[in-house]
Amino acid sequence: MTQTQKRIAAFFYGSFIRRDVMALGDFHPETVEVAKLSGYDIAFDPHANIFRSGQHAVCGVLVYPSHEELNKLYSRDGVGVFLPEAVVVQTSDNRMLPAICYMPPGRNDRPADLVYVEHIIKAAKEHDFPNWYVSRLEEFRFPPKVEVAARTG
């Protein structure tokens, strides 16, 4: 008897919103839905990182991988450390669904990888993310300038 692999809802917000990156981990989702995770904001330090924020929301994609596919994706070289958390996302047709979301354990203090940011903006547009969220991502194209204190003496 062949057993079908159990599939779970997973919310992706960074590199894995790109189908080509999912394919590198041998994951080819049949269904990809745009979804929103309220209560979080995104940063690029240097790659996508989300963190709790009562004033923001993060858009991404909802897909249905197996545990094996998730393990392949998150164990690839260069992915870094991400920990699974249970979240509730809202789909574009207003369904509220539980999902797993992998988040880094903390934030880095490094500047955004601007080439990476452009890849995320392009994928967000391809998925037809809401305009307000694409605008939010575009803000990261121009990192804030660091002011240097004037020397006296």
Side-chain angles (χ1 to χ4, degrees):
M1 179 190 293
T2 305
Q3 188 173 0
T4 306
Q5 285 188 322
K6 180 180 178 182
R7 302 220 164 255
I8 58 170
F11 176 76
F12 294 154
Y13 57 86
S15 295
F16 296 141
I17 69 170
R18 297 175 49 199
R19 284 185 181 270
D20 61 322
V21 175
M22 287 188 264
L24 292 173
D26 202 26
F27 177 50
H28 307 276
E30 291 179 25
T31 303
V32 178
E33 293 182 82
V34 173
K36 177 174 71 173
L37 175 60
S38 295
Y40 286 83
D41 195 9
I42 192 164
F44 291 90
D45 53 9
H47 299 134
N49 184 347
I50 63 174
F51 56 94
R52 291 188 189 280
S53 170
Q55 300 172 340
H56 297 93
V58 172
C59 290
V61 296
L62 186 64
V63 293
Y64 296 88
S66 67
H67 287 283
E68 181 181 338
E69 289 166 327
L70 283 171
N71 286 338
K72 275 186 184 179
L73 286 170
Y74 283 96
S75 64
R76 291 190 68 248
D77 285 342
V79 171
V81 176
F82 288 83
L83 304 174
E85 287 194 32
V87 297
V88 175
V89 297
Q90 181 178 5
T91 63
S92 56
D93 61 355
N94 293 318
R95 290 176 295 132
M96 302 298 284
L97 298 172
I100 193 92
C101 181
Y102 284 74
M103 301 180 200
R107 294 184 61 191
N108 296 311
D109 189 22
R110 298 193 332 223
D113 176 338
L114 298 180
V115 172
Y116 174 89
V117 170
E118 288 301 324
H119 285 298
I120 299 301
I121 292 168
K122 181 180 180 210
K125 289 177 179 179
E126 288 170 357
H127 286 295
D128 202 22
F129 283 8
N131 290 335
W132 65 264
Y133 191 71
V134 172
S135 294
R136 171 73 176 120
L137 295 175
E138 289 172 337
E139 291 174 13
F140 292 98
R141 286 179 166 159
F142 308 102
K145 297 189 187 299
V146 177
E147 291 187 33
V148 178
R151 286 187 167 174
T152 57

